[in-house]
Amino acid sequence: MSLRLIDTIANFVAEVIVRRPIVLIAILAVSTLLAALVLAKHTTFDSDILNLLPTGESAVQGLRDYERGFTQSNELAFVLVWPEGVGSAEEHDDFREEFSTQLLAQPWVLRVLSAQPLAGGGAGREIVLPLLLNLPPEEFQEALKKLEPPAMEERISRLAGEVAAGSPRALFELENDPLGLGTSALKPLW
C-alpha cells in the first residue's frame, strides 16, 4: 500500500470523526446492529446435554421426565428393575442391600435412601389414612374424587403410558401411590 493511499484514508477518517460525528455514530449503530444480527443468527450453543441425545429414544424421554420431576442437581437416583420372573424377592432385597453398601463406599456419596418412602415396613402407609382423614373438608372431597372409577382409570392409564415411555417417576408413583391418595394426604406436610 502506498504512503499516499494511507494518507488519504487517514485524512478521510479524521474528517469524519471531527466534522461529521453524526455519520460516525450512524456507522457505529449500523455496525453494532449487523454484529448483533450475525450473532443471533449463527449462535447454536446449547448447554442442555439432553438436546444432544437422540430425541426419539424412550430412555431420553425418561430422562427428560425425570429432570422435570426431580430438579435437585445434587441428587442422583438409581431405579433397580428386574424382568418378570427373574430372581426371588429375597434375592432382589439382597442385591438392593449390596448395591446400597457399595454406593456408601464411594467417596462422592453423602447418603443413600434405599427404601421407598411409602413402601416397606408399612410405616409410611400407616400414616396415610389418618392424614387423609384429617384433611380440610374441601381437600378431602377432592381426594375422594380420585376414587371414582373414571378418575382411577385415567390416572392408571396415564401412569402406565409414562412408564412405557421410560419414566422412573411414573414407575415410582404406579408402584407406591397408584391412586394419588398418598400425595393428597401428605400435601399439608409439604
Side-chain angles (χ1 to χ4, degrees), residues 1-187:
M1 215 188 258
S2 74
L3 195 56
R4 189 170 174 88
L5 181 61
I6 294 174
D7 193 37
T8 306
I9 292 172
N11 286 337
F12 174 74
V13 170
E15 184 179 335
V16 168
I17 291 172
V18 174
R19 295 196 178 145
R20 301 177 197 266
I22 294 176
V23 172
L24 180 65
I25 292 171
I27 290 171
L28 288 174
V30 169
S31 299
T32 305
L33 185 62
L34 285 174
L37 284 173
V38 167
L39 286 175
K41 284 284 195 181
H42 297 291
T43 302
T44 58
F45 181 74
D46 191 354
S47 64
D48 188 2
I49 191 71
L50 291 179
N51 290 339
L52 302 174
L53 299 173
T55 56
E57 295 291 322
S58 62
V60 175
Q61 186 58 41
L63 285 172
R64 286 186 194 282
D65 292 343
Y66 179 80
E67 187 180 54
R68 265 187 251 121
F70 303 97
T71 56
Q72 296 217 10
S73 61
N74 62 348
E75 293 181 1
L76 180 62
F78 293 95
V79 179
L80 304 176
V81 180
W82 287 270
E84 216 38 60
V86 174
S88 66
E90 294 82 25
E91 291 173 332
H92 295 176
D93 289 339
D94 290 344
F95 183 81
R96 279 188 196 101
E97 272 186 46
E98 180 62 27
F99 187 75
S100 298
T101 304
Q102 293 292 326
L103 275 178
L104 282 171
Q106 300 300 316
W108 49 271
V109 175
L110 299 177
R111 98 183 132 171
V112 173
L113 302 174
S114 59
Q116 299 169 348
L118 298 177
R125 292 182 188 214
E126 289 175 1
I127 64 167
V128 170
L129 185 59
L131 288 174
L132 197 59
L133 292 173
N134 284 315
L135 288 174
E138 44 300 328
E139 289 181 26
F140 182 71
Q141 291 301 321
E142 285 297 314
L144 285 182
K145 288 180 184 177
K146 293 180 179 182
L147 295 175
E148 295 174 0
M152 289 181 358
E153 288 175 14
E154 186 276 326
R155 179 173 169 85
I156 298 293
S157 64
R158 179 179 54 79
L159 287 174
E162 290 176 10
V163 167
S167 169
R169 180 180 182 198
L171 179 63
F172 178 82
E173 282 187 50
L174 195 59
E175 290 177 347
N176 296 296
D177 190 18
L179 301 177
L181 292 177
T183 306
S184 298
L186 295 172
K187 189 176 178 183

